Amino acid sequence: MMSGLSLPVEVLLNEARNIAREAGDAILDVYETRFATMEKDDRSPLTEADLAAHRIISARLRELTPELPLLSEEGRDVPFDERRHWPSYWLIDPLDGTREFVKRNGEFTVNIALIQHHDPLLGVVWSPVLGTLYSGAHGVGAFRETSAASRAPIQVQPPAPGHRPRVVGSRSHGNDRLLAALEKLGPHQLVPMGSSLKLCLVAEGAADLYPRLGPTSEWDTAAAHAVVSAAGGRVVDLTGAELRYNTRESLLNPEFLVCAEDPQAWLSRLGLDRPAA
């Protein structure tokens, strides 16, 4: 059992899987209707599905671990002066990829992560339309399960010499800087994908790298970051340092790279390597 947690990590991981599936059912109830789309202050979309999933996850996690605080994209803003003292907390995105949800392409997820001492201890990423669940925890391993198959372990796969890199890219957030970086990389295969599924493709060895050159929030990445780490991969900023959580006032991530190994080599090939501050 990890310090400060009332339940073993394996138990918390399994419960988080169940909670994510329950939230996914509520999302699908909305997905199958003519739902309305609202706009938040940052002009990102919001639907009743986001709010329904938030209510379910928040309630279930508070029942499971009443001692742990919770930070959700759709919850209240928590000042840094308060959350900076949290050694462990739940970090959730009830519906990651709302733009994909609105487009009805199925590439959205429920993200539940447990952060301990600024690092993702465990994470669950559930895609209710695709029927695929990724999960992972420190010391436990990383797994993929589908409606057609039982839970199976996954691991990152470093590319073989001479292999054309498989690069995961966003369906909704491409930009000129990414295109320039990919030109420097040379011949590659671009794999478009929405939401945190991009990180999970690297975790299961279906892609080699995912460079993110644009804004994301900590709840967008934490759950899939845990899966990548448990699968043996890396999620680093452009200096090569591992992404960390709840270390400052802003909840925006720095730009980052997800890969199986040797992130500095990939950053150099992409022309993105930056010296540490």
Side-chain angles (χ1 to χ4, degrees):
M1 187 180 301
M2 300 294 292
S3 174
L5 300 179
S6 60
L7 295 169
V9 173
E10 293 89 340
V11 173
L12 293 172
L13 182 62
N14 197 54
E15 289 299 324
R17 292 182 184 118
N18 295 335
I19 293 168
R21 289 184 183 276
E22 184 179 350
D25 289 342
I27 289 171
L28 290 182
D29 286 343
V30 177
Y31 191 63
E32 294 165 358
T33 68
R34 297 179 62 183
F35 56 84
T37 302
M38 300 163 275
E39 193 173 85
K40 295 191 281 190
D41 291 342
D42 62 0
R43 306 196 69 178
S44 61
L46 176 70
T47 72
E48 177 54 35
D50 298 76
L51 300 175
H54 164 76
R55 288 191 290 266
I56 289 170
I57 296 169
S58 300
R60 298 294 181 268
L61 289 178
R62 289 189 175 109
E63 291 171 2
L64 177 67
T65 53
E67 75 280 7
L68 292 182
L70 183 147
L71 187 63
S72 168
E73 179 175 15
E74 309 309 341
R76 73 176 182 92
D77 291 334
V78 181
F80 183 58
D81 283 346
E82 176 182 343
R83 56 183 166 81
R84 68 187 299 182
H85 302 294
W86 296 350
S88 303
Y89 66 100
W90 293 104
L91 179 58
I92 67 173
D93 189 344
L95 201 170
D96 180 38
T98 303
R99 286 183 174 85
E100 315 306 329
F101 179 88
V102 172
K103 294 175 185 176
R104 297 183 185 271
N105 68 14
E107 294 175 2
F108 54 85
T109 59
V110 177
N111 297 346
I112 301 177
L114 179 59
I115 307 298
Q116 188 167 62
H117 304 308
H118 309 293
D119 296 316
L121 174 64
L122 69 81
V124 171
V125 177
W126 166 232
S127 173
V129 171
L130 302 181
T132 303
L133 187 144
Y134 296 92
S135 60
H138 178 74
V140 177
F143 308 90
R144 179 182 187 268
E145 54 192 285
T146 68
S147 55
S150 59
R151 188 176 302 151
I154 57 174
Q155 190 170 8
V156 296
Q157 298 295 325
H163 169 76
R164 178 175 292 191
R166 298 163 297 172
V167 183
V168 188
S170 173
R171 286 200 189 277
S172 302
H173 299 283
N175 59 46
D176 292 340
R177 286 182 60 232
L178 176 59
L179 293 176
L182 294 180
E183 282 188 16
K184 293 180 181 178
L185 179 65
H188 62 276
Q189 176 187 352
L190 187 61
V191 184
M193 182 60 68
S195 71
S196 57
L197 291 169
K198 294 186 287 293
L199 291 89
C200 295
L201 290 183
V202 177
E204 67 174 327
D208 300 310
L209 68 155
Y210 164 41
R212 179 56 187 236
L213 305 183
T216 58
S217 295
E218 294 186 0
W219 44 66
D220 294 322
T221 58
H225 185 169
V227 176
V228 171
S229 295
R234 302 288 306 279
V235 182
V236 301
D237 65 22
L238 300 191
T239 72
E242 198 78 14
L243 240 58
R244 307 196 77 212
Y245 297 82
N246 196 28
T247 62
R248 54 202 175 96
E249 183 73 42
S250 174
L251 288 168
L252 291 177
N253 289 317
E255 295 177 325
F256 62 86
L257 175 76
V258 185
C259 61
E261 62 176 17
D262 203 358
Q264 288 291 1
W266 284 118
L267 289 168
S268 179
R269 289 180 64 182
L270 291 161
L272 298 174
D273 44 335
R274 296 179 184 173

